[in-house]
Structure formats: C-alpha cells, structure tokens
Amino acid sequence: MRLVPYIRMLRAYVKPTLGYVLQSTSCHSVIRHAAPIKRIYSTQLSKSNTDLTGTCPGCGAPFQNHDRRRPGFMVASRDISEPKKIVKNPSKDLDHATYQKLLYDMDTSTRQLLGVADPAIDDQPCSDSDTIPAKRRLCHRCHELNHKNRMEPLDLAHLRSTLQYNSLSFLETKRQPLVVCLIDVADMPWSLYGLEKLASIQPNSRVMIIANKMDLLPPAALKHEQRLREFILSTIKNRINLEQIESLSLVSATKGWGMKSFLKRLSHTILPSDDVYVLGCANVGKSAFINRLLALSYGKNRDKYRTTSSKNPGTTLGNILIPLHAFGLQPDAPFGSSIRQHYLIDTPGILDLSQGNSPKCLLTPEQQKQALSKRHDTPFKPVTFQLKPGQSFLLGRARVDIEDTTNGLPVLFTVFSNLPPHITKSSKLPLPDQNSSTHFHATSQHQSHASTDICFAGAGWVALAGAFGSASLRIVLPQDVTKDACSIREPSFLPYEFHGQIRKFFGAGHRAVQ
C-alpha cells in the first residue's frame, strides 16, 4: 500500500515524457523523409542536364524538355548530393560479387591464412553502380500510353505534327533488303498501302507479308486458312507488283497465333548480312508484333528492347533499332570486335496523306473514344439483316441505300463489325449530296453465299447475299471524307458466314453486336 503513491507519481511523469518522445520522433522521421521526396519530385532541372540527347526507346522520338505536350518530353535527372543506397533483402547466402568483394577487402595476412591468393587488378570487384543495370528511360508520352491508356486525337493535323519520319527513301540504296510488311486483315484494302509504297520505291525487296489481327475474324472462318491465304495473295498480286514475296503468315500479335512459325521461317530466310525492316500502315500492330517476337525469343536482354504499343495510330514516331541477338537470330558481338551488328528496324506507321482521310474517319467521336479506350478488339460476330428497297443501312457515319432490286426481292446484309448498325427508311433521312454519294450495281444468284463486300475504312465491312438478282445501291459518306474511304470488293472475303438465320433489328442496334 505504501508504494501506490509512488506508482501514481511515476505514471504521471512517464506519460507526458513518452508522448513528447514519440511526438518528437515522428516529427523527426517526417522531416528526415521529406527531404528526399522533395528532391525526387521537384520540377527544377539541373543545369548540367538542360540539353537531352538520344531518342526514346519506346516510340523513337528525340528527347526534349521544353514542351510537355510534344512527344519525347522527359525531365532530366536531378542533382543529388549523396548516391542512393539500395537496400537488398537480407539473405543467408552470398552471391559471387559480394563474396569477391569481401575477400578483396581483407588484409593480406588474413587472405594468406585462409589460403586465398591475392586478387589481380582485373579481378577486382566492380562498384555497385557497375553491377546495377541502368534504368530504361521512356518519355512522358510513352509512360502515359503504357500505364494510363492515354488517348490522342485521330485528325490528320495532329498526326502530321507529331510524325517525325514517314519516308522509305532509305531503301532505295539497299540491294534486295529483307522487309517484313504487316497488313490488317480487317481493314483491307487500306492496310495494303504500305506494300504499294514499298513497291514504288524498292520493287526488288524480299518481302515477308504478315496478315495480322486474325483473331478478329469469326472462329468458323479460321478453319479455312488455305482459302484465306489464297484470297489475300490474289488481292495483293492484283493491286501491287512485287517481284519477290518470300512468304505469307497469318498471325495474331495479341494472341500469339502463328508467331513461333514465323520466327522459325525468319531464321531460315535471313542472311548474315541482312537487316530486317518492319513496315506497315499506321495501327496495323507493328509494335505489338515486335513485342510478341521478343517475348517468344530466347535472346539476351530482350526486355529492355520492348517498344510502346497502343491503340492510337502513329504511336511510333521514329526508327527504333533492336539488335538481332535480342531475338536469338544472331550471336551477340563482343565489345570492340570487328563484327558488324545487325538490327531489326521498327519504322513509323505509313499514312496515306494524299487521300485526306484520317484513321477511323467513319466513326463518330463517341465511337472513336470507345475504340481507343479498349485494350484489345473483340472478334467479329457476323449478324445478318434483311433489307428491302426503300430502306437504308447505317454503320458509323456511312450509309447504304437500297434503291431497287429485281422484283423487289430483299438483300441480306451480313455485318462484320463491332459497331452497332442501324436500319431505317430512306425517306426519313436527308437527301444526300451528289459529291458525297456513289451508285453501284450488285448481282447475286445464291440464297446464302455472299458475292460482294462493301468495305468501310476502319469500320469493317458488309457482305451482300440473297437471291435478289440485280440490285441498285447508293453509298453515302460524310462531306469531310473522300470517296476512297469506301471500297467494293468482289468476290467476298468470307462468303459462307450466313447460316440461314436472319436477325430482327432492335431499335438502336446494340443488341446485334452482343
């Protein structure tokens, strides 16, 4: 009982003392950790790094620190007085570098007692800065495209302002270069423009054609690869004069279909003196194709050569050189050797600026936003509608009017697109301008097999089927889009996707694509 007053006095003294100690300790820790945060995230550049050199390994744009809105923007490194200490997880086992460093730090007598010889000058352990690999530097635009799914405008003015290099004139001096040209099977014939430009500049190129985005086609069509291969080859030969077509591969860069077989075919085709040039129109999937090749290869340091891939057309703005040893196609040349290093060169997407049409020009602004927000496109689900004379079919900003058919028979429209269609009477729509409308005649004698495709740039296509005999149709496009944004394809690319089921149209058409 006599100790109770002393215990109370001790409690009264210890509580405020501990509170003051904890408070001072927390404040001291906050102050101690606030300084590094201020140094790391400060926007003041060091005077020695105001001029940046080199290009971004993700998009190929030259580094700059003047305009945050332009590609290649990067904040230079900050001045830090003390080097950053890297704290590794404690482990009972020592790696080889740490073991050699501990032996080197010992005095000579201790090493003699342990029976360890004195290390030579070349065997001295390197510093921590040498053993730690340099961090891969990307520009601000690539960081937002990779981690924040950044969306960019699709107008030609923006693409012209950001495009750094859009010429293939460097191929004129090459003698039979090896070119890998990508096309989009869901956007033919517009994705063939890269082959057309290559044929006009260097017709003697050894071309390996890649038909990408095969995962967008219906699963039933993928069972007939030989028919699809023959159709694509005949379309290319009818439009383009290429002397040496090495191979045609049907692949999907997002799914990885056909990539291993192409990599094996490339290893058999490439010569010891070859550089590989990857060409194609904008948004055909060149960057995703290269990243998939890096993932499947067994090359050295392949992860540091990954390029920036996104749904925005024109993501790659400059040439990106990747050593062939990263793909396992060539041994790595040692430093200082006379062996020339060969590269796979990723080029910017080719734009057909003469037509004046921007990518996905037939999509509404809301549809463009939805298309760019998706990481991957979903496969087409063919849906067939029945249209009679006097009705109109709308897909995006494009419109098809059925003016007349033989004996008034209906026309079957099989839609290959992820956009919701709309069907209405032609009398409810405004009269089209003669400059923006095109008339054509379609013929069909089979009930279920399609004979003609109406293709829309960046929006898919429609296959016409049904025993309607002859039909007169009118295609109406917006006034700000040229007539090149629509194409008639005969014969049909996928003529057997109508299986006798006709879908009834529901209001806005969103149920048709689900």
Side-chain angles (χ1 to χ4, degrees):
M1 296 298 294
R2 295 179 180 179
L3 296 177
V4 173
Y6 296 99
I7 295 175
R8 292 178 179 176
M9 291 174 60
L10 184 61
R11 287 178 180 177
Y13 175 77
V14 170
K15 282 185 178 181
T17 305
L18 288 177
Y20 174 77
V21 171
L22 291 175
Q23 184 178 3
S24 61
T25 304
S26 59
C27 294
H28 177 68
S29 62
V30 171
I31 295 174
R32 182 179 60 186
H33 293 287
I37 294 176
K38 184 177 180 180
R39 287 202 301 267
I40 292 174
Y41 295 103
S42 174
T43 57
Q44 297 179 358
L45 300 178
S46 62
K47 297 181 180 180
S48 60
N49 294 326
T50 53
D51 296 331
L52 297 177
T53 59
T55 59
C56 176
C59 64
F63 284 128
Q64 53 91 15
N65 52 17
H66 307 293
D67 191 356
R68 190 182 186 90
R69 295 171 295 180
R70 295 187 60 83
F73 175 79
M74 182 175 180
V75 179
S77 59
R78 279 73 174 173
D79 290 335
I80 301 178
S81 58
E82 298 180 357
K84 183 179 179 181
K85 296 182 180 180
I86 300 178
V87 180
K88 298 182 179 180
N89 295 330
S91 177
K92 297 181 180 179
D93 299 332
L94 295 177
D95 55 351
H96 181 72
T98 307
Y99 176 73
Q100 293 294 332
K101 186 176 181 180
L102 292 175
L103 289 179
Y104 179 75
D105 293 339
M106 293 180 181
D107 56 315
T108 307
S109 59
T110 306
R111 284 197 298 267
Q112 292 177 356
L113 291 175
L114 294 175
V116 180
D118 293 340
I121 297 177
D122 297 336
D123 297 335
Q124 294 181 3
C126 56
S127 60
D128 294 342
S129 60
D130 298 332
T131 58
I132 301 174
K135 187 177 182 181
R136 190 165 179 254
R137 300 192 308 168
L138 294 177
C139 66
H140 176 70
R141 174 175 175 267
C142 289
H143 182 270
E144 290 195 343
L145 288 173
N146 288 330
H147 302 286
K148 298 183 180 180
N149 198 16
R150 171 179 172 178
M151 292 182 292
E152 297 181 345
L154 297 178
D155 56 326
L156 283 180
H158 171 76
L159 293 175
R160 285 193 182 100
S161 63
T162 57
L163 195 62
Q164 304 289 331
Y165 192 76
N166 193 31
S167 175
L168 301 180
S169 59
F170 64 92
L171 292 176
E172 295 178 355
T173 59
K174 307 297 180 181
R175 182 180 178 182
Q176 294 185 348
L178 180 58
V179 178
V180 178
C181 190
L182 275 76
I183 63 175
D184 185 359
V185 294
D187 198 26
M188 293 191 300
W190 295 276
S191 61
L192 302 179
Y193 178 72
L195 280 172
E196 296 177 359
K197 195 169 183 179
L198 175 63
S200 62
I201 294 177
Q202 183 57 272
N204 296 324
S205 303
R206 294 177 292 135
V207 185
M208 301 182 69
I209 302 176
I210 304 296
N212 194 20
K213 301 186 180 182
M214 290 294 295
D215 57 304
L216 297 182
L217 301 183
L222 300 177
K223 301 177 181 179
H224 310 281
E225 290 188 4
Q226 185 62 29
R227 179 168 57 85
L228 299 179
R229 194 186 307 272
E230 293 176 356
F231 182 90
I232 296 173
L233 278 177
S234 63
T235 303
I236 293 174
K237 291 180 179 180
N238 292 335
R239 296 174 60 94
I240 307 168
N241 184 18
L242 286 174
E243 297 182 1
Q244 302 184 43
I245 298 180
E246 297 289 339
S247 62
L248 172 63
S249 302
L250 308 181
V251 305
S252 171
T254 57
K255 301 289 186 180
W257 300 344
M259 298 296 294
K260 289 186 178 180
S261 60
F262 167 75
L263 192 60
K264 184 177 180 180
R265 189 178 296 111
L266 179 61
S267 63
H268 294 163
T269 306
I270 191 172
L271 299 177
S273 59
D274 278 339
D275 289 324
V276 183
Y277 302 91
V278 181
L279 309 179
C281 293
N283 208 22
V284 296
K286 297 185 298 298
S287 299
F289 172 78
I290 293 176
N291 291 337
R292 179 63 68 172
L293 284 181
L294 288 172
L296 295 176
S297 63
Y298 299 96
K300 181 180 179 182
N301 297 330
R302 57 182 182 177
D303 293 336
K304 72 176 184 179
Y305 296 111
R306 290 181 59 87
T307 59
T308 302
S309 176
S310 70
K311 296 293 294 295
N312 296 274
T315 301
T316 303
L317 304 176
N319 291 341
I320 302 176
L321 278 66
I322 304 175
L324 289 180
H325 66 76
F327 303 92
L329 299 175
Q330 189 185 50
D332 187 10
F335 180 77
S337 65
S338 59
I339 302 176
R340 179 182 177 271
Q341 186 70 262
H342 294 276
Y343 298 92
L344 183 142
I345 303 172
D346 183 16
T347 60
I350 302 174
L351 296 174
D352 190 3
L353 302 179
S354 61
Q355 295 183 359
N357 295 327
S358 60
K360 302 185 183 299
C361 57
L362 295 179
L363 276 66
T364 62
E366 184 64 26
Q367 291 172 349
Q368 291 181 3
K369 184 177 180 180
Q370 293 177 0
L372 294 180
S373 62
K374 297 180 180 178
R375 285 290 183 181
H376 304 291
D377 293 329
T378 57
F380 294 154
K381 297 180 180 180
V383 181
T384 303
F385 298 99
Q386 180 177 280
L387 278 79
K388 300 179 180 179
Q391 288 185 318
S392 297
F393 176 85
L394 289 86
L395 187 68
R397 301 172 62 194
R399 164 184 163 189
V400 180
D401 299 338
I402 300 181
E403 296 179 337
D404 189 18
T405 60
T406 303
N407 299 327
L409 296 176
V411 183
L412 302 181
F413 277 53
T414 304
V415 185
F416 295 87
S417 176
N418 289 325
L419 301 178
H422 186 74
I423 299 175
T424 184
K425 294 182 179 180
S426 303
S427 58
K428 295 182 179 180
L429 301 176
L431 294 176
D433 188 6
Q434 295 182 357
N435 298 328
S436 60
S437 60
T438 304
H439 297 267
F440 79 98
H441 294 273
T443 58
S444 177
Q445 300 295 335
H446 201 280
Q447 181 65 31
S448 59
H449 295 179
S451 59
T452 306
D453 289 344
I454 306 177
C455 306
F456 306 101
W461 73 92
V462 175
L464 305 183
F468 54 84
S470 177
S472 176
L473 294 91
R474 177 176 59 190
I475 301 176
V476 182
L477 299 177
Q479 295 183 356
D480 58 339
V481 177
T482 62
K483 295 182 180 180
D484 298 326
C486 182
S487 177
I488 307 299
R489 182 169 57 194
E490 293 180 351
S492 178
F493 183 36
L494 300 177
Y496 308 111
E497 292 304 318
F498 173 62
H499 304 292
Q501 297 180 356
I502 299 176
R503 179 73 62 89
K504 182 179 179 181
F505 179 71
F506 299 95
H510 292 280
R511 301 183 187 178
V513 295
Q514 295 180 354

